[in-house]
């Protein structure tokens, strides 16, 4: 809310209309930076009367005191159109301003309503800013709405009710006071006053214009609206017009007058004339004397002082309080009296009230009597009035009532606070903490134990203020016949024990338990929901404590709230545990140890109260020194999202085993997510690292880019164009390739690690880069310890004390390149000589690597693979050997035809080659390349071997004669031609 509107709303209802107008103008001018303002109210006929002005000299406002409500001026136009208007001057003068130039840039006016009827307008003179803005127009409308509401609540003219004068009393009154008569033509607005009326209404004959505007000018602004309302009501309902209002006299002061009139009507029933009389109604001397006598004998003390603090009047009660008679006190200064000087701060409060010209009141204790008086100070034009009221009994009853109300409020507040805390509690631990914080302190308790029943045993849910050894003794305690824990559970009613003696008297066989716990009083309250008791809540004290009936009722009520919250929390705990177990089962139990990379990972679930998420990661070993690193995030939380994550992880494994390029894998994943029945979306990043080329190919869908930490500690985060997630993307997917030096770190993560409600994702990624650089530059080799590095990154981005709304996954892998001396590659001819040359290359290279024992097996594998290429595929043909944790033999060709195993019969000449490859290698497969395909085999470097270097299981193959195989191999070898050198890597 606007501050000014807040100030206006704080104004008490019932203020006078002149104060309403003053405040409205003051805040309207302040908000708009206006130079001045005016308020006009509708009068009889078509006149608008100026009732309040601020900031404007009389020379400007005088022509605007009475204006035509149908005219062109801003107040009239606003009232006529029923909305705010702004008039900018087209020359140096504004209409109706006479010869005086108006300042500012224009006039802004808004209408004032009473119900559905327009009754006036508020106008401000705008400064140099010109027409008000939309917000300023809205503020003006809000001020008008406030003024309309307060005008309805303003009191009528404050005059004491008087009995209607009639008959002889009326004639006597007319003789005592001078009565003026008047005649108002309702249709034309003409007004006739006699001499007595001119005198009564403070108008000279020269000033009288014979128009109703003369009367409107002399009526007090606070009284104009109710008086006009009474006149309109009398005309509408054809009743007598009676009103009492203040008018301005010739000396500028205001005096009270009273008026009475009747109207005449034409044939159509419309009012034509109103004829009436008016007379002065100020208090007479007799009335003041009567008031003085009443004050003299009133029960409350009353005294008046002048502006010099001299006593001018006091009643009998004040005489008794001050200890002197009126004759002794009259004319004396108030502060000189001994009884006044004994009241602390009395003079200070009185002087402050007089300076502020605002009523004030306070209580004071009278010396030696023990009585309490309330002193009210009311400033007046001629001094200060003081009222003394004995409020001793009133204050005592008020204090008692306030104490009772405070106690009730505190109880309600405790229940409300506990209810709010329990409503926020998610887990059983949260419930116990809420009870410990909201229940124990108000009762002065020091211990809390909450136990739940499982079978016939009571297990601890949570505890506060108890030794761990004692909690171990009561955890899992079996049901027994007499036990303070089981008795409330069995009966369903609370049990209160106020001391150890009472405890021992009731349970003598358990008398040793209280000293173990260190407690001396207890409240055992069963936890019951829907008629089922499932546990007990024990509140205990360090000293003997007998709870009152009210405290016992409050604790019993509290236990019902705790039971409902705990039952809900236990259900959540069970569901959350199942969800987390499912999610842990869907993530890798351990990361593989590969020659191409070593890695560490972290999964961080969302903060307390959040369900399981769908973040995941994986490392998949591939052929030829390649490895796939994957991270993904299924949007949302819950079991369906966790299940979707498991399906995607399985799909990635299957697609990666097919040795598909990253962009094709992403396309297949997009189809899988898009084909799910539910509306699911997921982000994913698939990185394929080739240790032989040190090239990392990355494809992603809606996922943050990876971070690469080079060996020198520099951090590189590629700037990739944003793309939609899986389920909303449209293939093809873009593949980004980057060279990753040996020993670099590849950091993959989900958005939950770097983005939150208080941190943009770009800021989070910048913080991630800073942490990675700091880890490399810091003391010790933290970057070498990937587990420590994971902890450092997660602690820096997701501090434990800050709850998160999303789960996060982090995968950090150190990439290792396969060195040139562990790779060898040769181009082979596209004819039968290729097999012999391949065998020769293999013998020489394996001898260089010290792997002579693998030579026969590798030669046989290469002969089979190269022979298949020469016979069934097309060139160019290339042979490559990789020496890592295993020996890899690869044969490249230019064909896309994939070999498959056949089941040959005994009479078939072919069809056994791939069966031989399967038997001789640990695993083999095919992958597509940019120019064709690659058929590869893997052999372990260590293992059981036969006498010729062939695996034992191969020697037992029924179709293989080992001696003949050796002779044939030698014969093939003798036919080898001169070999070309190794092909460029």
């Amino acid at each position: 809310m606007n501050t000014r509107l807040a100030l206006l709303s704080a104004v008490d209802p019932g203020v006078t209309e002149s104060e309403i107008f003053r405040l409205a103008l003051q805040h309207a001018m302040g908000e708009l930076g206006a130079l001045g303002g005016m308020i006009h109210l509708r009068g009889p006929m078509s006149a608008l009367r100026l009732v309040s002005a601020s900031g404007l000299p009389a020379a400007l406002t005088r022509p605007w005191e009475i204006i035509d409500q149908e005219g062109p001026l801003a107040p009239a136009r606003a009232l006529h159109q029923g909305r705010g208007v702004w008039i900018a001057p087209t020359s140096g003068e504004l209409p109706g301003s006479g010869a005086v130039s108006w300042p500012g840039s224009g006039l802004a006016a808004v209408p004032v309503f009473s119900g559905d009827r327009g009754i006036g307008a508020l106008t401000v003179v705008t400064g140099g800013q010109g027409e008000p803005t939309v917000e300023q127009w809205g503020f003006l409308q809000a001020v008008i709405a406030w003024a309309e509401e307060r005008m309805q609540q303003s009191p009528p003219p404050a005059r004491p009710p008087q009995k209607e004068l009639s008959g002889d009393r009326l004639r006597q009154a007319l003789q005592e006071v001078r009565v003026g008569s008047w005649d108002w033509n309702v249709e034309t607005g003409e007004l006739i006053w006699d001499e007595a009326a001119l005198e009564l209404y403070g108008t000279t004959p020269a000033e009288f214009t014979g128009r109703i505007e003369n009367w409107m000018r002399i009526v007090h602004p606070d009284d104009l609206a109710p008086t006009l309302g009474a006149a309109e009501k009398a005309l509408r309902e054809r009743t007598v017009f009676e009103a009492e209002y203040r008018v301005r006299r010739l000396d500028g002061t205001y005096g009270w007058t009273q008026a009475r009139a009747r109207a005449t009507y034409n044939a159509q029933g419309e009012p034509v004339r109103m004829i009436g009389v008016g007379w002065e109604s100020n208090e007479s001397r007799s009335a003041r004397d009567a008031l003085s006598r009443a004050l003299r004998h009133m029960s409350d003390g009353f005294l008046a002082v002048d502006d010099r603090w001299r006593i001018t009047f006091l009643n009998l009660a004040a005489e008794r309080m001050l200890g002197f008679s009126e004759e002794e006190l009259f004319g004396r200064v108030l502060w000189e009296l001994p009884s006044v000087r004994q009241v602390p701060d009395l003079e200070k409060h009185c002087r402050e009230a007089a300076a502020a010209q605002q009523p004030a009141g306070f209580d004071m204790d009278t010396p030696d009597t023990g009585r309490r008086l309330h002193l009210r100070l009311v400033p007046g034009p001629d001094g200060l009035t003081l009222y003394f009221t004995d409020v001793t009994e009133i204050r005592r009853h008020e204090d008692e009532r306030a104490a009772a109300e405070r106690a009730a409020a505190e109880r309600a507040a405790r229940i409300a606070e506990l209810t709010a805390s329990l409503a926020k509690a998610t887990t059983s631990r949260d419930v116990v903490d809420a009870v410990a914080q909201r229940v124990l302190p108000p009762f002065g308790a020091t211990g809390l134990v909450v136990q739940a029943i499982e079978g016939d045993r009571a297990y601890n849910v949570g505890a506060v203020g108890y030794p761990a050894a004692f909690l171990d003794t009561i955890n899992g305690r079996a049901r027994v016949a007499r036990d303070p824990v089981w008795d409330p559970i069995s009966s369903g009613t609370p049990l209160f024990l106020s001391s150890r003696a009472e405890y021992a008297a009731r349970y003598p066989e358990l008398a040793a338990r209280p000293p173990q716990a260190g407690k001396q009083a207890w409240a055992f309250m069963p936890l019951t929901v829907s008629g089922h008791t499932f546990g007990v809540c024990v509140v205990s004290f360090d000293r003997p404590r007998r709870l009152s009936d009210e405290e016992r009722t409050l604790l019993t009520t509290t236990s019902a709230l705790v039971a409902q919250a705990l039952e809900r929390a236990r259900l959540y705990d069970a569901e959350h545990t199942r969800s987390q177990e499912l999610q842990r089962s869907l993530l890798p139990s351990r990361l593989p140890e590969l020659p191409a990379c070593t890695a560490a990972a972290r999964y961080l679930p969302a903060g307390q109260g959040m369900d399981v998420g769908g973040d995941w990661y994986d490392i998949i070993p591939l052929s030829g020194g390649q490895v796939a690193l994957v991270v993904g995030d299924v949007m949302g939380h819950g079991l369906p999202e966790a299940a979707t994550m498991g399906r995607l992880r399985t799909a990635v494994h299957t697609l990666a085993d097919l040795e598909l390029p990253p962009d094709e894998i992403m396309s297949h994943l997009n189809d899988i997510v898009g084909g799910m029945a539910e509306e699911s979306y997921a982000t994913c990043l698939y990185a394929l690292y080739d240790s032989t080329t040190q090239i990392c190919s990355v494809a992603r869908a809606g996922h943050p880019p990876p971070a690469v930490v080079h060996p020198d500690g520099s951090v590189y985060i590629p700037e990739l164009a944003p793309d939609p997630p899986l389920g909303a993307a449209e293939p093809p997917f873009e593949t980004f390739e980057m060279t990753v030096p040996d020993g670099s770190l590849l950091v993959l993560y989900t958005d939950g690690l770097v983005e939150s409600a208080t941190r943009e994702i770009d800021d989070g990624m910048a913080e991630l880069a800073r942490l990675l650089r700091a880890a490399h530059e810091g003391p010790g080799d933290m970057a070498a310890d990937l587990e420590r590095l994971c902890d450092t990154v997660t602690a820096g981005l997701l501090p434990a004390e800050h709850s998160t709304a999303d789960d996060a996954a982090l995968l950090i892998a150190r990439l290792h390149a396969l060195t040139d001396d562990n790779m060898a590659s040769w181009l082979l001819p596209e004819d039968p000589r290729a097999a012999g040359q391949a065998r020769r290359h293999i013998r020489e290279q394996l001898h260089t690597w010290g792997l002579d024992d693998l030579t026969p097996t590798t030669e046989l594998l290469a002969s089979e693979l190269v022979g298949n290429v020469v016979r069934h595929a097309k060139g160019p043909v290339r042979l490559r050997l990789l020496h890592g944790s295993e020996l890899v033999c690869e044969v490249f060709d230019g064909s896309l035809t994939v070999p498959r195993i056949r089941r040959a019969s005994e009479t078939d000449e072919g069809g056994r080659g791939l069966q031989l490859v399967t038997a001789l290698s640990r695993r083999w497969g095919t992958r597509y390349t940019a120019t064709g395909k690659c058929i590869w085999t893997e052999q372990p470097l260590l293992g059981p071997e036969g006498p010729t270097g062939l695996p034992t299981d191969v020697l037992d193959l029924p179709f293989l004669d080992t001696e003949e195989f050796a002779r044939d191999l030698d014969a093939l070898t003798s036919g080898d031609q001169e070999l070309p050198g190794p092909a460029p890597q």
Side-chain angles (χ1 to χ4, degrees), residues 573-589 603 605 611-613 639 642-643 645:
D573 290 341
E575 180 70 17
H576 193 64
T577 300
R578 288 193 295 269
S579 300
Q580 288 186 324
E581 289 176 352
L582 170 62
Q583 188 169 44
R584 281 194 295 268
S585 68
L586 295 175
L587 290 173
S589 57
Y603 171 77
D611 210 338
V612 294
L639 289 177
M645 177 264 284

Side-chain angles (χ1 to χ4, degrees), residues 52 130 196 224 266 283 322 338-339 356 405 482 496-497 545 596 599 614 624 706 800 822 854 877 905 917:
S52 185
L224 180 60
N266 59 18
E283 292 290 343
L322 298 177
S339 56
E405 291 175 352
R482 288 178 52 78
F496 300 97
L497 301 175
R545 177 83 150 81
N822 285 317
L854 295 178
V877 183
S905 62
V917 170

Side-chain angles (χ1 to χ4, degrees), residues 55 134 155 158 167-168 170 176 198 281 303 340 432 476 490 512 517 586 597 658 757 860 941 978:
V134 174
D168 295 338
L170 177 59
E176 293 177 354
L198 288 172
S281 61
L303 68 85
V340 173
V432 174
S490 302
L586 295 175
C597 74
L658 296 176
L860 183 56
L941 298 182
E978 190 67 27

